[in-house]
Amino acid sequence: MNALAQSLLSAAKFGRHLNDRDVSQFTAAEVREAISTLVAQDKLSLADALCEAGLSLHPGDENILSMAALMANLHQDWARSEEYLRELMAVQGDGATEFTWNLLVRVLRCQCEPLEALNTAQAGLLMYPESADLQQERAELQAQLGDVSAFIGPVQQRQ
């Protein structure tokens, strides 16, 4: 457990909260690690608060965006998860991970956006053609959509 997680748990035990100034002395990687620790200990409200502080203190940081997306998934807030994943992918550019692509496909499916999910799976497969997960997602979506999947064009983001 890192120092930030220990500080948060200790403060919570005594009914006080750390402020942004207290949290700002930690790196984005340390914030990510603390969020992970808090989730593992089922301290979700503390993890949520730390995630929000991390987004405020480290905007556009990959560590924080990835945790924010995962926290949104945990709460089944698919729209926010999509927002954070798309921001993460914009930051990562061509370095967006296979996991990030796959998670975005699943989030789109949870939002009942099968056409966009299929487009995203196909775009992810351009980057990771050997990805078994993305291949499976594409196959399932094509089976679900039937003949309409033949008319899928280039990836388009919703406005």
Side-chain angles (χ1 to χ4, degrees):
M1 179 180 319
N2 72 5
L4 178 54
Q6 286 176 334
S7 295
L8 283 166
L9 290 170
S10 178
K13 189 174 172 180
F14 295 108
R16 75 173 200 84
H17 299 281
L18 295 181
N19 60 36
D20 282 353
R21 194 179 82 240
D22 296 327
V23 177
S24 68
Q25 63 185 328
F26 294 93
T27 67
E30 290 170 322
V31 172
R32 176 193 43 80
E33 183 182 336
I35 294 168
S36 179
T37 298
L38 293 169
V39 170
Q41 293 186 5
D42 201 29
K43 305 290 185 191
L44 296 183
S45 60
L46 285 174
D48 286 332
L50 184 55
C51 192
E52 290 301 317
L55 286 166
S56 173
L57 294 167
H58 304 285
D61 184 272
E62 293 180 42
N63 289 292
I64 303 301
L65 289 170
S66 61
M67 289 309 293
L70 292 172
M71 290 298 295
N73 267 12
L74 185 65
H75 295 297
Q76 297 182 3
D77 186 345
W78 310 123
R80 285 187 79 187
S81 182
E82 179 186 359
E83 175 188 331
Y84 294 136
L85 288 169
R86 290 196 185 278
E87 188 176 345
L88 175 62
M89 293 175 85
V91 169
Q92 292 176 329
D94 289 341
T97 67
E98 175 185 346
F99 178 80
T100 303
W101 280 100
N102 196 54
L103 189 56
L104 181 56
V105 170
R106 290 180 183 177
V107 165
L108 292 168
R109 289 182 76 167
C110 289
Q111 293 185 90
C112 298
E113 296 283 351
L115 290 173
E116 191 166 348
L118 178 56
N119 270 338
T120 302
Q122 290 174 331
L125 283 166
L126 293 175
M127 302 294 291
Y128 299 98
E130 302 300 318
S131 170
D133 289 335
L134 287 170
Q135 288 175 10
Q136 181 178 345
E137 292 286 353
R138 180 182 61 188
E140 288 174 7
L141 287 159
Q142 285 175 330
Q144 176 186 357
L145 293 169
D147 291 339
V148 94
S149 67
F151 298 103
I152 304 295
V155 176
Q156 296 176 352
Q157 291 185 6
R158 281 180 276 139
Q159 298 285 338

